[in-house]
């Protein structure tokens, strides 16, 4: 797994959201949460697992909407940030946070109504194994995102010390087939890469986001997107 040691550092966990979701990064946070809620639909009473839950952005969001949530992450410091966020939101009783390996999930088959993994597959060195485990423990739905090959993310990747795994549509199709999953729906977004928005103040980022959305809405605009949000169901 790329960046595994870096990801588990205390100072990284403490500064994670401030670095990624301040200024223009707030637009990214908002869109990712929208994508998750669109994919899962109403979650009240559902049992949901989030893989690589990090600082708890999505676990807390889903618990606030009535879901019974389990968040799993390999980083103890990240999980501590999740616990603090859950306490602040008053939902610590609606979620469990566990340290563990996403390649060997400690749950029985068909245990969850849905399994979620955001900001994970770009770091995965064995995506087939992870996706198969997600399929094993869900009754129905798997939700995840990927960075797209042949997009502006490819250029941005050169500047990253760890880089990211990029996926074409056909590669995701092959992944889903290998995990016995059927593609239910997909959304493609962000002509300009995430790193671009993180460098901008919020007020400056908003006009670029408007332009980004306009370009993406043009015929063929999906092919310029750098991020894809996938919904898949068990066959």
């Amino acid at each position: 797994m790329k960046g595994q040691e870096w990801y588990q550092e205390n100072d990284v966990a403490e500064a994670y959201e401030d670095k990624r979701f301040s200024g223009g990064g707030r637009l990214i946070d908002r869109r990712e949460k929208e994508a998750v809620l669109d994919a899962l639909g109403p979650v009240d009473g559902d049992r949901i697992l989030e893989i690589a839950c990090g600082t708890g952005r999505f676990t807390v969001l889903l618990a606030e909407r009535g879901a019974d949530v389990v968040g799993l992450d390999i980083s103890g410091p990240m999980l501590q940030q999740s616990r603090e966020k859950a306490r602040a939101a008053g939902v610590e009783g609606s979620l469990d946070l566990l340290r563990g390996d996403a390649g060997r999930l400690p749950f029985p088959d068909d245990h969850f109504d849905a399994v979620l993994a955001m900001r994970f597959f770009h770091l995965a060195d064995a995506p087939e194994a992870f996706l198969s485990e997600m399929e094993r423990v869900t009754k129905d739905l798997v939700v995840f995102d990927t960075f797209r090959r042949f997009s502006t993310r490819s250029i941005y990747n050169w500047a990253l010390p760890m880089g990211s795994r990029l996926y074409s549509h056909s590669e995701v199709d092959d992944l889903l087939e290998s995990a016995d999953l059927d593609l239910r729906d997909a959304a493609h977004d962000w002509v300009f890469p995430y790193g671009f928005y993180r460098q901008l103040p919020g007020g400056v980022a908003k006009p670029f986001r408007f332009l980004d959305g306009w370009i993406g809405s043009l015929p063929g605009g999906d092919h310029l997107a750098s991020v894809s949000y996938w919904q898949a169901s068990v066959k």
Side-chain angles (χ1 to χ4, degrees):
M1 180 68 67
K2 292 182 180 180
Q4 183 169 307
E5 293 181 1
W6 170 87
Y7 186 70
Q8 297 185 67
E9 295 292 333
N10 282 301
D11 58 341
V12 170
E14 292 170 0
Y16 184 81
E17 292 196 22
D18 285 342
K19 286 186 176 180
R20 282 156 182 77
F21 306 118
S22 60
R26 293 192 184 95
L27 300 174
I28 300 169
D29 180 56
R30 186 183 308 156
R31 179 64 179 99
E32 289 182 334
K33 289 175 177 174
E34 176 186 272
V36 167
L37 294 176
D38 285 349
L40 294 177
V43 297
D44 190 16
D46 285 354
R47 182 180 292 173
I48 298 175
L49 169 66
E50 184 186 1
I51 301 297
C53 65
T55 57
R57 288 192 299 138
F58 303 110
T59 50
V60 170
L61 176 74
L62 296 172
E64 288 176 328
R65 282 160 174 76
D68 182 10
V69 188
V70 175
L72 182 138
D73 201 282
I74 200 170
S75 169
M78 287 284 186
L79 289 171
Q80 182 57 36
Q81 294 293 313
S82 295
R83 292 186 184 97
E84 292 175 7
K85 187 175 294 182
R87 281 194 294 270
V91 296
E92 64 268 36
S94 299
L95 58 85
D96 292 316
L97 296 166
L98 307 174
R99 189 171 185 181
D101 181 356
R104 294 185 293 274
L105 296 175
F107 308 107
D109 295 356
D110 306 325
H111 189 65
F112 297 96
D113 296 296
V115 181
L116 164 72
M118 296 291 287
R119 296 291 190 96
F120 175 72
F121 276 89
H122 70 292
L123 299 174
D125 47 11
E128 298 86 356
F130 293 121
L131 196 60
S132 292
E133 273 291 89
M134 293 170 68
E135 186 276 338
R136 179 184 68 79
V137 300
T138 187
K139 299 173 186 175
D140 179 35
L141 187 62
V142 171
V143 176
F144 64 102
D145 66 337
T146 59
F147 290 126
R148 299 190 70 193
R149 198 180 302 280
F150 315 120
S151 70
T152 54
R153 179 74 191 192
S154 301
I155 301 171
Y156 175 64
N157 241 25
W158 294 343
L160 297 177
M162 292 184 297
S164 298
R165 188 183 185 108
L166 307 180
Y167 297 80
S168 67
H169 200 307
S170 62
E171 287 173 306
V172 173
D173 286 341
D174 290 344
L175 270 179
L176 295 174
E177 182 64 30
S178 71
D180 288 327
L181 290 165
D182 283 325
L183 180 61
R184 180 181 294 184
D185 200 3
H188 311 289
D189 205 343
W190 304 100
V191 174
F192 302 126
Y194 281 172
F196 170 75
Y197 284 97
R198 290 198 196 106
Q199 303 304 313
L200 301 177
V204 176
K206 287 180 180 178
F208 280 102
R209 178 59 177 149
F210 178 83
L211 177 62
D212 193 311
W214 178 76
I215 295 172
S217 69
L218 295 174
D222 279 357
H223 297 291
L224 302 175
S226 62
V227 180
S228 295
Y229 307 106
W230 308 96
Q231 299 177 42
S233 54
V234 176
K235 290 186 178 180

